[in-house]
Amino acid sequence: MNIGFWLLALTVLAGAGIYGYLRSMRYRADEIPDNEDTGAVLVAFSNAYPDRPIRDILHTEDRTGALLRIADGTVGLVRVTPHHTSVSLLKPGDLLVDAADNDRTLHLHFTGGNPDEGIFTFATVAEAAEASLWLCGNFVPPGEADEPEANSSR
């Protein structure tokens, strides 16, 4: 075998090694450390809704989701995965709450086809109760969901 073959083999091996290293570094950079997830949630929500001041944040137990209480009484939702962050502003009538397995869990369904629906488990019962109170502002009683807002100018 000549030297050209060995140079080509060495170049291919070095290229594969560099590619693997850079790819692993990219995935590590996308992961959000536990101590930085509140900041990441704030930045993600503020980029999507810059005119909505945040009053409080409640993280889920696994730190992949957060509910945000907005100053005007609405609730925001941020879901964080290693490769994607989704941000939603919940509006009255968008949300259905289903029975959950325990007192720390909320099972949320969105009527508008929001892909963020799922099970949200909080660290304590008090946090789950607080999140439930925030969501009560987004609750529309049955029968009122289809009615247009009458005389909203009063």
Side-chain angles (χ1 to χ4, degrees), residues 2 4 7 9 19 24 26 29 31 42 47-48 52 63-65 68 94 96 111 147 150:
N2 61 16
L7 284 174
Y19 174 77
S24 69
R26 178 175 174 249
E31 293 176 3
L42 287 170
N47 284 337
R52 303 284 183 146
R63 310 295 275 189
T64 60
L68 296 87
D94 282 353
L96 301 172
T111 58
E147 296 177 14

Side-chain angles (χ1 to χ4, degrees), residues 9-149:
L10 183 62
T11 303
V12 168
L13 286 174
I18 290 171
Y19 174 77
Y21 173 76
L22 292 176
R23 188 166 174 90
S24 69
M25 293 303 291
R26 178 175 174 249
Y27 286 128
R28 284 189 204 144
D30 287 343
E31 293 176 3
I32 299 173
D34 284 344
N35 61 350
E36 294 181 14
D37 59 357
T38 299
V41 166
L42 287 170
V43 168
F45 190 83
S46 295
N47 284 337
Y49 300 100
D51 59 337
R52 303 284 183 146
I54 300 167
R55 294 182 81 187
D56 202 0
I57 298 176
L58 287 175
H59 290 279
T60 57
E61 186 175 42
D62 61 359
R63 310 295 275 189
T64 60
L67 290 175
L68 296 87
R69 184 171 57 147
I70 312 302
D72 64 0
T74 58
V75 177
L77 173 66
V78 177
R79 298 289 297 258
V80 179
T81 62
H83 305 293
H84 180 70
T85 300
S86 64
V87 178
S88 303
L89 186 63
L90 306 180
K91 296 179 178 104
D94 282 353
L95 186 64
L96 301 172
V97 181
D98 201 3
D101 297 337
N102 59 45
D103 293 339
R104 299 179 304 122
T105 302
L106 300 174
H107 192 180
L108 306 179
H109 298 282
F110 296 95
T111 58
N114 188 330
D116 292 324
E117 70 180 36
I119 298 172
F120 296 83
T121 302
F122 294 92
T124 65
V125 175
E127 287 181 356
E130 184 74 17
S132 297
L133 288 174
W134 294 357
L135 294 172
C136 283
N138 287 332
F139 174 73
V140 176
E144 292 183 21
D146 298 330
E147 296 177 14
E149 292 183 26

